[in-house]
Each structure stands twice: as C-alpha cells, then as structure tokens.
Amino acid sequence: MDVMGSSAPTPAGHPHRTMLVNATAALLLGSALMVIVHECCHWIAGALIGHRSTLYAFGVEYTPPTEGGQAAFTALAGVIGSLLIGALCTSWQPFRRSNGFGHLLWLWFGFCQLQEAVTYFVITP
C-alpha cells in the first residue's frame, strides 16, 4: 500500500512504494558518493601542489598546512570539481534508456554535486 492507501501499480507496473524506496536509496547513495568525490577533489589538489594530504570523511588535512594561494587552490578544487562533475552528470545521461536505478542514482549524484557547488559559491563570499 502507498501513502494514499492504494496498492494500484503505476503506469510502468511498479507499486508506488518501490519508486519511493528506489528514489530514497538513490538520493542517499548519491549524496554519500558526492561527499567522497568532492573531498577527493580537495585531496588531489593538495597532492598536485606537493603536500601530504590525509582524506577524512568530511575534510582533508594537509601537511604542511596550506597557506595563501595554495589554500585557495585546494579550497576551490572541491567546488570547481563538484560544479564540473554535476554539469557533466546532468547533461550527459548514459543510463537514460534503461530508466532504472542506475539512471536515478546518476541523476541524484549529479544534482547533489551541483547543489554542493552552488552552496559553496553562495556561502563562501
């Protein structure tokens, strides 16, 4: 049964509950993947400038600590990476024809990446 008390299938033949579970699972998994990829962009930027980088769940620590232009470069790497990856995922949709969970996960991952980038552009200044 769905929220409205009906167990009628959707036009595609799947119950509403299955769609809700799939959408929720794709959102949560896409968000988790977004955080990992975003932080990896910071980590890679630190490695490119020659710093030893330690990747944590929600951040990166650099040894020695970054300062000035290097700090700006490593900070912007996550934002720019999220923006580019989000734009790529929302414009290029290789799983669209399958119309399955992979496509849903791809879209949520892309939307979360874009949201991350826009949020940083809004709160950083």
Side-chain angles (χ1 to χ4, degrees):
M1 292 213 154
D2 67 1
V3 178
M4 301 300 287
S6 169
S7 60
T10 63
H14 300 289
H16 294 288
R17 183 178 207 169
T18 303
M19 288 192 306
L20 178 63
V21 169
N22 283 344
T24 304
L27 169 62
L28 294 174
L29 189 56
S31 298
L33 291 172
M34 177 275 302
V35 170
I36 293 168
V37 170
H38 176 88
E39 295 306 330
C40 282
C41 290
H42 291 299
W43 181 83
I44 290 168
L48 287 174
I49 59 174
H51 287 259
R52 183 169 175 246
S53 305
T54 305
L55 181 64
Y56 294 105
F58 291 98
V60 178
E61 183 178 321
Y62 305 104
T63 306
T66 58
E67 294 178 354
Q70 291 180 339
F73 174 73
T74 56
L76 279 173
V79 179
I80 300 299
S82 288
L83 182 64
L84 294 176
I85 293 166
L88 174 73
C89 289
T90 55
S91 62
W92 177 58
Q93 300 175 14
F95 304 109
R96 186 176 191 148
R97 293 202 188 272
S98 70
N99 206 23
F101 184 78
H103 179 62
L104 193 58
L105 177 60
W106 183 267
L107 288 176
W108 273 120
F109 174 70
F111 292 149
C112 289
Q113 288 284 4
L114 286 175
Q115 180 183 355
E116 180 83 356
V118 169
T119 301
Y120 271 104
F121 283 130
V122 169
I123 66 171
T124 301

